[in-house]
Amino acid sequence: MAKPIREITIVGGGTAGWMAAMLLQTGLQQGRKVKITLIESPDVATVGVGEATVPNMPRTLHQCGISEREFFKTCNASFKLGVDFTDWNRDRNGKPISYINPFARPPAIGTQQLGVYYSDLGAGALDFVQTFSPTVDLINACRAPRMSGAGEFDQKMKIGYAYHLDAGKFAGLMQKTCVAAGVNHLRDNVQDVELDERGYVAALHLEKSGRHPVELVIDCTGFRGLIINQALKEPFVSYSRYLANDRAMAVQIPHLDKQKLEPVTRSTALGAGWSWRVPLYNRIGTGYVFSSAHRTDEEARAEFLAHLGPAGKDAEPRVIPMRIGRSRHAWVKNCVALGLSGGFIEPLESTAIHMIDMGVRWLTTYFPDSDFAPPLRDHFNRLTDRMYDEVRDFIILHYALGNRTDSQYWIDAREELQVPDRLAELIETWRYALPGPLDLPSSILFDHITYQAVLLGKRVYETGFARGKLARGSRLDADKWKTYLGQVRGQVKQAVGAACDHRSYLAEMRGEITPGGAKPAQPAMGGFAMPQATVPLPGTPMAHLPKAPPAPDTLEDEGASLL
C-alpha cells in the first residue's frame, strides 16, 4: 500500500508560491494532515505576475478566509469590470475601434442569439456590450459594481467583476495568511537538487539549512524552471511560432486625475505590441508588451514613453524578457510546476493568476500518494495542456483577426504567424455563423460568448470578414429587438444611477470614509437583471459561498509586476 504524502515542499515565493501554499492549506486540510514548507530565496526577485485578475478571484479570497476589506486596503485593490481594447482594429474609414470585453453574458432574443440581432439589425450608436450590460456605462461613469454601503463580496447588483491588485502586496497578504495557518516559511537558497535512482527529487540542498528531504515538490521558481526544467530536464514547448511578443517593460505612474478611478484594464495597440494600463487605488501599473524582432529595447522604450505622455515623465521602465510557451508536462515524477515555471502566455487577458489557481485546485483534486499513480498525473497534465492551449488560441484570435496595415508588426502578426488548425477551422466557420456552444474543444475560461464579444467588438462582420447575414434564413423580429433595447437601456440607466462612485466605494471599504459620504446619484434598485452576471467559472458559484469572514485589524507588504 502506498503511503500518504505528509509534506509538500514549495520552492519559490511570489504570487505562484504563496497562492499554491494558501490553496493547498485550505483544500487539503479538510481531509488529511499535510505539512507545507515554502522555501523562498532571499536573493531572487519575483517578477510579480499579474495586477489584473478574472472573476474567480472573489471565490478564492472567500474560500481562503481573506477579508475583502483587508484585501482592498492591503493590496490597494480596485474593481475590474472588463478589458478595453483600443486600436487593435480599424473601421472602414481607418479610425481606431475601441471595445470592451466584459464579465457579462447576453440573453437570447426568443430562440436567436442576441449577437445575431445586433450584427444583422444594428443598435444605433450602441456597441454590442451596451445592448445587454451596464458595463460600458459604469466604466465611462467611473462607478463601482456596488451601491454605497454594500458589504464584502456583495453581488446584489448582479454585475460581474474581478480585481486589480498590487502583486507584491498580494503575495505579502497571502504569506501572512499562510504563516498564521501553519505553513513553514524558510528563507534560503537552493544550491542543488538531489535525484534518487528513479529520477525523482529526493532532496533539496539548501545554503543554510542543509539537506531538505522531499516527498512532493512544487516548482514556483519562475522562468528559470529550477526543478522542472533544469533538474528534471523536462523540455520547454515554445509558442513563438504562434505569438511574436517576447519582451515587456513595466513601470508605475501616478494618477493625474485624483478623483476619477476607472474600473477597467486598458489594452492599447502600439507599433510593435500593446500597452496595458491597470489603475490601482494609489497608482497606475502600466507597461508595453512587444516583439524584439520588430523593436529594440531602446526603440520600444521611446515609443512607450511617448504613448504615456506627461504621465510618463521621469519614468524608467524595467525590461522583462518573457519565455512564451509551457513545459511539455507540468507534473513530472514528484514535481509539479506552477506559475512561470509551468508556462506563460502574454498577459493580454490577465490569465496568469487564474492559471496558478486552477493548477492548485486540480492538484488538490488529483492529489497523489507516495506511489504517484500515473493516471492521476496524466489526467492533471491533460487538463493543464488544455488550459494552456485554450488561452493560447484565444490570444492568437486577437492578432489573427486584426486588420491594421500601418506597421510590419501588425502585418506579420496576421499573415506570418501560425494559427493552430482547429482555431483556423473555427475562424472560417465564424465567417458564416457566430461562435456557438458546440464549437470549442475547451472552455475552462473562455467560452463561445467570450469569442462573440471579441468578434463583435472588433466589428469584423462590418469590415469584410462575414460571408452574408448571420441569421441564415431565420426571421428576425425588428419590433421585438427595438422593444428589448428600450427596456435594457432603461435598466442600464437605473444601474448606473444606483452604483457608487468607484473611488468613493473603495474609500468606504478601506475605512477612510463612512457609507453615505458618497451617495448614489439615484435611489437604490434591485440589480441589473437582464443577463447573467459573470463568465462561467469552475468550482463553487458565488451564490453558494460561505459568508465573508470578519475583517482582521491589521495589514501590510510590497512589490512589482507584469500584468
Side-chain angles (χ1 to χ4, degrees), residues 345-362:
I345 302 172
E346 64 175 84
L348 185 61
E349 289 287 349
S350 312
T351 51
I353 292 178
H354 176 74
M355 294 170 87
I356 297 166
D357 190 327
M358 292 310 305
V360 183
R361 291 176 187 275
W362 290 334

PDB file of all heavy atoms in Angstrom, residues 345-362:
ATOM      1  N   ILE A 345       1.901  32.774 -21.068  1.00  0.00           N
ATOM      2  CA  ILE A 345       1.383  33.310 -22.322  1.00  0.00           C
ATOM      3  C   ILE A 345       1.181  34.793 -22.106  1.00  0.00           C
ATOM      4  O   ILE A 345       0.747  35.218 -21.037  1.00  0.00           O
ATOM      5  CB  ILE A 345       0.060  32.624 -22.707  1.00  0.00           C
ATOM      6  CG1 ILE A 345       0.283  31.114 -22.825  1.00  0.00           C
ATOM      7  CG2 ILE A 345      -0.483  33.169 -24.024  1.00  0.00           C
ATOM      8  CD1 ILE A 345      -0.976  30.307 -23.001  1.00  0.00           C
ATOM      9  N   GLU A 346       1.519  35.585 -23.083  1.00  0.00           N
ATOM     10  CA  GLU A 346       1.489  37.036 -22.877  1.00  0.00           C
ATOM     11  C   GLU A 346       0.208  37.466 -22.157  1.00  0.00           C
ATOM     12  O   GLU A 346      -0.860  36.889 -22.368  1.00  0.00           O
ATOM     13  CB  GLU A 346       1.650  37.781 -24.197  1.00  0.00           C
ATOM     14  CG  GLU A 346       0.530  37.576 -25.201  1.00  0.00           C
ATOM     15  CD  GLU A 346       0.732  38.459 -26.426  1.00  0.00           C
ATOM     16  OE1 GLU A 346       1.483  38.066 -27.339  1.00  0.00           O
ATOM     17  OE2 GLU A 346       0.130  39.541 -26.464  1.00  0.00           O
ATOM     18  N   PRO A 347       0.316  38.493 -21.301  1.00  0.00           N
ATOM     19  CA  PRO A 347      -0.749  38.770 -20.321  1.00  0.00           C
ATOM     20  C   PRO A 347      -1.934  39.569 -20.854  1.00  0.00           C
ATOM     21  O   PRO A 347      -2.520  40.372 -20.139  1.00  0.00           O
ATOM     22  CB  PRO A 347       0.007  39.567 -19.253  1.00  0.00           C
ATOM     23  CG  PRO A 347       1.082  40.281 -20.012  1.00  0.00           C
ATOM     24  CD  PRO A 347       1.513  39.330 -21.084  1.00  0.00           C
ATOM     25  N   LEU A 348      -2.330  39.322 -22.091  1.00  0.00           N
ATOM     26  CA  LEU A 348      -3.388  40.107 -22.720  1.00  0.00           C
ATOM     27  C   LEU A 348      -4.727  39.960 -22.021  1.00  0.00           C
ATOM     28  O   LEU A 348      -5.512  40.907 -21.948  1.00  0.00           O
ATOM     29  CB  LEU A 348      -3.518  39.697 -24.191  1.00  0.00           C
ATOM     30  CG  LEU A 348      -4.492  40.500 -25.051  1.00  0.00           C
ATOM     31  CD1 LEU A 348      -4.077  41.967 -25.116  1.00  0.00           C
ATOM     32  CD2 LEU A 348      -4.546  39.918 -26.465  1.00  0.00           C
ATOM     33  N   GLU A 349      -5.029  38.775 -21.499  1.00  0.00           N
ATOM     34  CA  GLU A 349      -6.327  38.535 -20.871  1.00  0.00           C
ATOM     35  C   GLU A 349      -6.213  38.265 -19.367  1.00  0.00           C
ATOM     36  O   GLU A 349      -7.105  37.691 -18.757  1.00  0.00           O
ATOM     37  CB  GLU A 349      -7.047  37.372 -21.559  1.00  0.00           C
ATOM     38  CG  GLU A 349      -7.537  37.709 -22.967  1.00  0.00           C
ATOM     39  CD  GLU A 349      -8.752  38.640 -22.973  1.00  0.00           C
ATOM     40  OE1 GLU A 349      -9.344  38.867 -21.892  1.00  0.00           O
ATOM     41  OE2 GLU A 349      -9.114  39.113 -24.059  1.00  0.00           O
ATOM     42  N   SER A 350      -5.088  38.657 -18.764  1.00  0.00           N
ATOM     43  CA  SER A 350      -4.923  38.596 -17.294  1.00  0.00           C
ATOM     44  C   SER A 350      -5.151  37.188 -16.750  1.00  0.00           C
ATOM     45  O   SER A 350      -5.809  36.991 -15.730  1.00  0.00           O
ATOM     46  CB  SER A 350      -5.900  39.564 -16.612  1.00  0.00           C
ATOM     47  OG  SER A 350      -5.880  40.828 -17.210  1.00  0.00           O
ATOM     48  N   THR A 351      -4.567  36.200 -17.418  1.00  0.00           N
ATOM     49  CA  THR A 351      -4.856  34.805 -17.070  1.00  0.00           C
ATOM     50  C   THR A 351      -3.824  34.177 -16.130  1.00  0.00           C
ATOM     51  O   THR A 351      -4.039  33.056 -15.654  1.00  0.00           O
ATOM     52  CB  THR A 351      -4.914  33.948 -18.346  1.00  0.00           C
ATOM     53  OG1 THR A 351      -3.724  34.183 -19.127  1.00  0.00           O
ATOM     54  CG2 THR A 351      -6.137  34.303 -19.181  1.00  0.00           C
ATOM     55  N   ALA A 352      -2.702  34.840 -15.868  1.00  0.00           N
ATOM     56  CA  ALA A 352      -1.602  34.193 -15.149  1.00  0.00           C
ATOM     57  C   ALA A 352      -2.013  33.706 -13.759  1.00  0.00           C
ATOM     58  O   ALA A 352      -1.763  32.555 -13.389  1.00  0.00           O
ATOM     59  CB  ALA A 352      -0.405  35.143 -15.056  1.00  0.00           C
ATOM     60  N   ILE A 353      -2.636  34.575 -12.963  1.00  0.00           N
ATOM     61  CA  ILE A 353      -3.033  34.181 -11.607  1.00  0.00           C
ATOM     62  C   ILE A 353      -4.112  33.105 -11.662  1.00  0.00           C
ATOM     63  O   ILE A 353      -4.104  32.148 -10.873  1.00  0.00           O
ATOM     64  CB  ILE A 353      -3.511  35.407 -10.804  1.00  0.00           C
ATOM     65  CG1 ILE A 353      -2.326  36.354 -10.539  1.00  0.00           C
ATOM     66  CG2 ILE A 353      -4.151  34.994  -9.489  1.00  0.00           C
ATOM     67  CD1 ILE A 353      -2.701  37.624  -9.792  1.00  0.00           C
ATOM     68  N   HIS A 354      -5.033  33.223 -12.605  1.00  0.00           N
ATOM     69  CA  HIS A 354      -6.095  32.225 -12.746  1.00  0.00           C
ATOM     70  C   HIS A 354      -5.512  30.845 -13.044  1.00  0.00           C
ATOM     71  O   HIS A 354      -5.996  29.828 -12.518  1.00  0.00           O
ATOM     72  CB  HIS A 354      -7.054  32.632 -13.862  1.00  0.00           C
ATOM     73  CG  HIS A 354      -8.125  31.619 -14.137  1.00  0.00           C
ATOM     74  ND1 HIS A 354      -9.190  31.429 -13.294  1.00  0.00           N
ATOM     75  CD2 HIS A 354      -8.270  30.726 -15.146  1.00  0.00           C
ATOM     76  CE1 HIS A 354      -9.974  30.468 -13.781  1.00  0.00           C
ATOM     77  NE2 HIS A 354      -9.426  30.025 -14.896  1.00  0.00           N
ATOM     78  N   MET A 355      -4.470  30.787 -13.877  1.00  0.00           N
ATOM     79  CA  MET A 355      -3.889  29.501 -14.244  1.00  0.00           C
ATOM     80  C   MET A 355      -3.169  28.864 -13.053  1.00  0.00           C
ATOM     81  O   MET A 355      -3.165  27.641 -12.903  1.00  0.00           O
ATOM     82  CB  MET A 355      -2.963  29.674 -15.449  1.00  0.00           C
ATOM     83  CG  MET A 355      -3.733  30.086 -16.707  1.00  0.00           C
ATOM     84  SD  MET A 355      -2.701  30.595 -18.087  1.00  0.00           S
ATOM     85  CE  MET A 355      -2.380  29.014 -18.855  1.00  0.00           C
ATOM     86  N   ILE A 356      -2.566  29.689 -12.203  1.00  0.00           N
ATOM     87  CA  ILE A 356      -1.988  29.170 -10.958  1.00  0.00           C
ATOM     88  C   ILE A 356      -3.105  28.591 -10.088  1.00  0.00           C
ATOM     89  O   ILE A 356      -3.009  27.474  -9.562  1.00  0.00           O
ATOM     90  CB  ILE A 356      -1.247  30.280 -10.201  1.00  0.00           C
ATOM     91  CG1 ILE A 356      -0.065  30.807 -11.015  1.00  0.00           C
ATOM     92  CG2 ILE A 356      -0.760  29.777  -8.839  1.00  0.00           C
ATOM     93  CD1 ILE A 356       0.504  32.121 -10.487  1.00  0.00           C
ATOM     94  N   ASP A 357      -4.155  29.369  -9.919  1.00  0.00           N
ATOM     95  CA  ASP A 357      -5.304  28.973  -9.106  1.00  0.00           C
ATOM     96  C   ASP A 357      -5.856  27.628  -9.571  1.00  0.00           C
ATOM     97  O   ASP A 357      -6.043  26.692  -8.780  1.00  0.00           O
ATOM     98  CB  ASP A 357      -6.365  30.070  -9.210  1.00  0.00           C
ATOM     99  CG  ASP A 357      -7.512  29.920  -8.225  1.00  0.00           C
ATOM    100  OD1 ASP A 357      -7.887  28.779  -7.901  1.00  0.00           O
ATOM    101  OD2 ASP A 357      -8.053  30.947  -7.789  1.00  0.00           O
ATOM    102  N   MET A 358      -6.102  27.484 -10.874  1.00  0.00           N
ATOM    103  CA  MET A 358      -6.680  26.243 -11.392  1.00  0.00           C
ATOM    104  C   MET A 358      -5.708  25.079 -11.243  1.00  0.00           C
ATOM    105  O   MET A 358      -6.116  23.954 -10.924  1.00  0.00           O
ATOM    106  CB  MET A 358      -7.078  26.416 -12.862  1.00  0.00           C
ATOM    107  CG  MET A 358      -8.236  27.378 -13.077  1.00  0.00           C
ATOM    108  SD  MET A 358      -9.663  27.044 -12.023  1.00  0.00           S
ATOM    109  CE  MET A 358     -10.003  25.330 -12.404  1.00  0.00           C
ATOM    110  N   GLY A 359      -4.415  25.333 -11.450  1.00  0.00           N
ATOM    111  CA  GLY A 359      -3.429  24.274 -11.309  1.00  0.00           C
ATOM    112  C   GLY A 359      -3.424  23.697  -9.897  1.00  0.00           C
ATOM    113  O   GLY A 359      -3.367  22.470  -9.710  1.00  0.00           O
ATOM    114  N   VAL A 360      -3.507  24.558  -8.884  1.00  0.00           N
ATOM    115  CA  VAL A 360      -3.518  24.081  -7.500  1.00  0.00           C
ATOM    116  C   VAL A 360      -4.812  23.322  -7.212  1.00  0.00           C
ATOM    117  O   VAL A 360      -4.805  22.275  -6.540  1.00  0.00           O
ATOM    118  CB  VAL A 360      -3.344  25.246  -6.506  1.00  0.00           C
ATOM    119  CG1 VAL A 360      -3.291  24.715  -5.071  1.00  0.00           C
ATOM    120  CG2 VAL A 360      -2.083  26.036  -6.797  1.00  0.00           C
ATOM    121  N   ARG A 361      -5.933  23.825  -7.702  1.00  0.00           N
ATOM    122  CA  ARG A 361      -7.215  23.143  -7.466  1.00  0.00           C
ATOM    123  C   ARG A 361      -7.209  21.749  -8.094  1.00  0.00           C
ATOM    124  O   ARG A 361      -7.723  20.785  -7.510  1.00  0.00           O
ATOM    125  CB  ARG A 361      -8.370  23.983  -8.001  1.00  0.00           C
ATOM    126  CG  ARG A 361      -8.590  25.265  -7.199  1.00  0.00           C
ATOM    127  CD  ARG A 361      -9.683  26.128  -7.817  1.00  0.00           C
ATOM    128  NE  ARG A 361      -9.766  27.418  -7.142  1.00  0.00           N
ATOM    129  CZ  ARG A 361     -10.453  27.653  -6.032  1.00  0.00           C
ATOM    130  NH1 ARG A 361     -11.142  26.669  -5.461  1.00  0.00           N
ATOM    131  NH2 ARG A 361     -10.471  28.857  -5.484  1.00  0.00           N
ATOM    132  N   TRP A 362      -6.659  21.627  -9.302  1.00  0.00           N
ATOM    133  CA  TRP A 362      -6.585  20.311  -9.948  1.00  0.00           C
ATOM    134  C   TRP A 362      -5.645  19.381  -9.182  1.00  0.00           C
ATOM    135  O   TRP A 362      -5.922  18.187  -9.056  1.00  0.00           O
ATOM    136  CB  TRP A 362      -6.134  20.463 -11.398  1.00  0.00           C
ATOM    137  CG  TRP A 362      -7.173  21.099 -12.272  1.00  0.00           C
ATOM    138  CD1 TRP A 362      -8.530  21.092 -12.077  1.00  0.00           C
ATOM    139  CD2 TRP A 362      -6.946  21.835 -13.471  1.00  0.00           C
ATOM    140  NE1 TRP A 362      -9.156  21.792 -13.093  1.00  0.00           N
ATOM    141  CE2 TRP A 362      -8.210  22.254 -13.964  1.00  0.00           C
ATOM    142  CE3 TRP A 362      -5.815  22.197 -14.187  1.00  0.00           C
ATOM    143  CZ2 TRP A 362      -8.359  22.995 -15.130  1.00  0.00           C
ATOM    144  CZ3 TRP A 362      -5.951  22.940 -15.358  1.00  0.00           C
ATOM    145  CH2 TRP A 362      -7.214  23.335 -15.818  1.00  0.00           C
TER     146      TRP A 362
END
